[in-house]
Amino acid sequence: MIEIKTFTVNMIEENCYVVSDPTGEAVIIDCGALTPEEQDEIYSYIRTKSLTLKHLICTHAHFDHIFGVEFIHRTYGLRPEMHAADMPLYAQAAQQTRAILGQESSWSLPPVGTKLAGGDTVTFGKHRFAVIETPGHTPGGVCFHCAEEGVLFSGDSLFQCSIGRTDLPGGDGKALVDSLRSRILTLPEETTVWPGHGPATHIGYERKYNPYLRAKA
């Protein structure tokens, strides 16, 4: 059994997840913690639960999902793991914040660690996440699926009754819809989806009600 702790962080209200199992090993997904208070909350949770972080994994490299990667690297020595196709986006974090938020920011980003690709697995404790490529929101967008626990971490690829925006540089609406229909909606309908923003949902619900993905009558 895994334990999922959600931290909703930064001005974009991004969902950062700490996922652990009874061994005490854990992964952190999309650490967008920006302020010292947000970072302290995550640090306190990990310390109180006596967790050992094994991986810092990223569904994609938009700025609101990577605000906290330097904090994790500094505190736990972990480098962010992401799809190679999003590395150019990662390197342009300052330009992203300027273009989208209209704010100048100074970024100190650690080097990327493992380059993830579809079919890879991320292991911690007695569990593993399968990496599923879902390009479209960004060129290197991925989801993390734990079949044993019936959970999917979808980043900004899939939301409750919606999908990620595709009007930003590197976005591709057709690629996103195609990848979600062929690789995500084929998962068991009871699979719980934990997205990058907003509430959790289920595959069965999205098959039926998501206007971007449901079959045409």
Side-chain angles (χ1 to χ4, degrees):
M1 178 72 69
I2 59 173
E3 182 171 352
I4 301 169
K5 175 66 174 178
T6 306
F7 298 88
T8 301
V9 294
N10 70 53
M11 72 287 286
I12 312 295
E13 298 187 338
E14 183 262 339
N15 291 332
C16 167
Y17 299 100
V18 176
V19 186
S20 58
D21 78 1
T23 69
E25 293 190 352
V27 298
I28 186 164
I29 304 172
D30 287 355
C31 188
L34 175 61
T35 67
E37 292 78 12
E38 291 170 349
Q39 295 173 3
D40 286 346
E41 186 179 7
I42 292 172
Y43 175 78
S44 295
Y45 174 79
I46 292 169
R47 182 184 59 187
T48 299
K49 301 287 287 187
S50 299
L51 301 178
T52 301
L53 278 188
K54 303 299 290 185
H55 298 276
L56 164 58
I57 52 178
C58 304
T59 61
H60 66 294
H62 276 153
F63 68 95
D64 54 319
H65 290 251
I66 60 171
F67 272 135
V69 297
E70 201 284 326
F71 148 65
I72 295 297
H73 179 255
R74 181 179 69 248
T75 307
Y76 302 102
L78 298 176
R79 293 184 178 186
E81 303 174 30
M82 66 184 65
H83 196 285
D86 263 19
M87 288 184 64
L89 196 61
Y90 181 75
Q92 297 168 357
Q95 293 93 317
Q96 289 186 53
T97 54
R98 183 165 55 248
I100 298 175
L101 298 181
Q103 298 178 0
E104 295 292 333
S105 13
S106 175
W107 283 76
S108 175
L109 293 173
V112 172
T114 301
K115 315 302 190 301
L116 302 175
D120 289 349
T121 57
V122 176
T123 61
F124 66 101
K126 296 182 178 180
H127 289 81
R128 64 177 58 196
F129 290 160
V131 179
I132 304 174
E133 293 181 350
T134 52
H137 178 63
T138 65
V142 298
C143 297
F144 301 110
H145 178 228
C146 183
E148 178 185 358
E149 300 286 346
V151 298
L152 179 84
F153 296 90
S154 64
D156 288 2
S157 291
L158 177 63
F159 303 121
Q160 184 184 73
C161 285
S162 190
I163 61 175
R165 62 186 294 184
T166 58
D167 59 330
L168 298 173
D172 185 326
K174 182 178 186 304
L176 180 57
V177 169
D178 287 349
S179 64
L180 290 173
R181 283 178 171 166
S182 64
R183 300 170 186 168
I184 300 303
L185 292 191
T186 53
L187 297 175
E189 66 176 14
E190 64 272 15
T191 302
T192 303
V193 179
W194 298 88
H197 303 270
T201 184
H202 291 84
I203 292 296
Y205 186 88
E206 297 310 309
R207 285 180 191 161
K208 186 173 182 179
Y209 295 110
N210 193 309
Y212 297 92
L213 301 175
R214 65 189 177 194
K216 294 181 180 179

